[in-house]
Structures are given as C-alpha cells and as structure tokens.
Amino acid sequence: MIYPARITARRIETAGVYTFTMRFVDKDVRRAFSFKAGQFNMLYAFGVGEVPISIVSDPGDPENLEHTIR
C-alpha cells in the first residue's frame, strides 16, 4: 500500500544528515498506523525512487514519524 505523507519538520543532525518528521495525509491512516522499534518504511520520492529507512521516532506517538537520512 502507498500512503502519502507530508514532511512537517526538518532537523539538521550534522553535515549531510537530516531527520525528517512526517505525517500521513489521510487522518484515518495516521490514526491506524502503528510500529515497533526496529521497523522501517519504504520511502519514495517522486521522480527519484524508493529506499527502506528505519523509523526513529517514538512508537507511542505514531502520528508523527521520524526518519534520519544521510
């Protein structure tokens, strides 16, 4: 399944390393989504491709997903 998400924040961790906070566009998907430590999402950037990226956010706050990318 593909669920579009918006980047709501970007934090610079160090040179070339960023943490992106994302939220699913669909509120029902946002409420239903859950994950456990160590799981990942397949992130797709239109026109670029997709890659598996670990979820680094708190599983207790599934409405805001964070991914750290280099």
Side-chain angles (χ1 to χ4, degrees):
M1 294 302 225
I2 296 174
Y3 301 112
R6 284 198 178 93
I7 296 173
T8 59
R10 181 185 77 155
R11 184 172 63 242
I12 300 171
E13 302 295 350
T14 189
V17 179
Y18 303 91
T19 296
F20 294 94
T21 302
M22 303 174 186
R23 293 190 82 179
F24 289 113
V25 173
D26 185 310
K27 291 179 184 179
D28 293 332
V29 171
R30 201 177 326 159
R31 288 185 192 115
F33 187 79
S34 66
F35 63 93
K36 295 180 182 178
Q39 288 187 298
F40 66 92
N41 285 329
M42 291 298 291
L43 300 184
Y44 177 81
F46 295 104
V48 178
E50 70 180 350
V51 63
I53 301 291
S54 295
I55 302 169
V56 298
S57 53
D58 180 1
D61 181 19
E63 288 200 17
N64 293 298
L65 296 172
E66 291 186 325
H67 297 82
T68 300
I69 300 170
R70 181 178 67 145

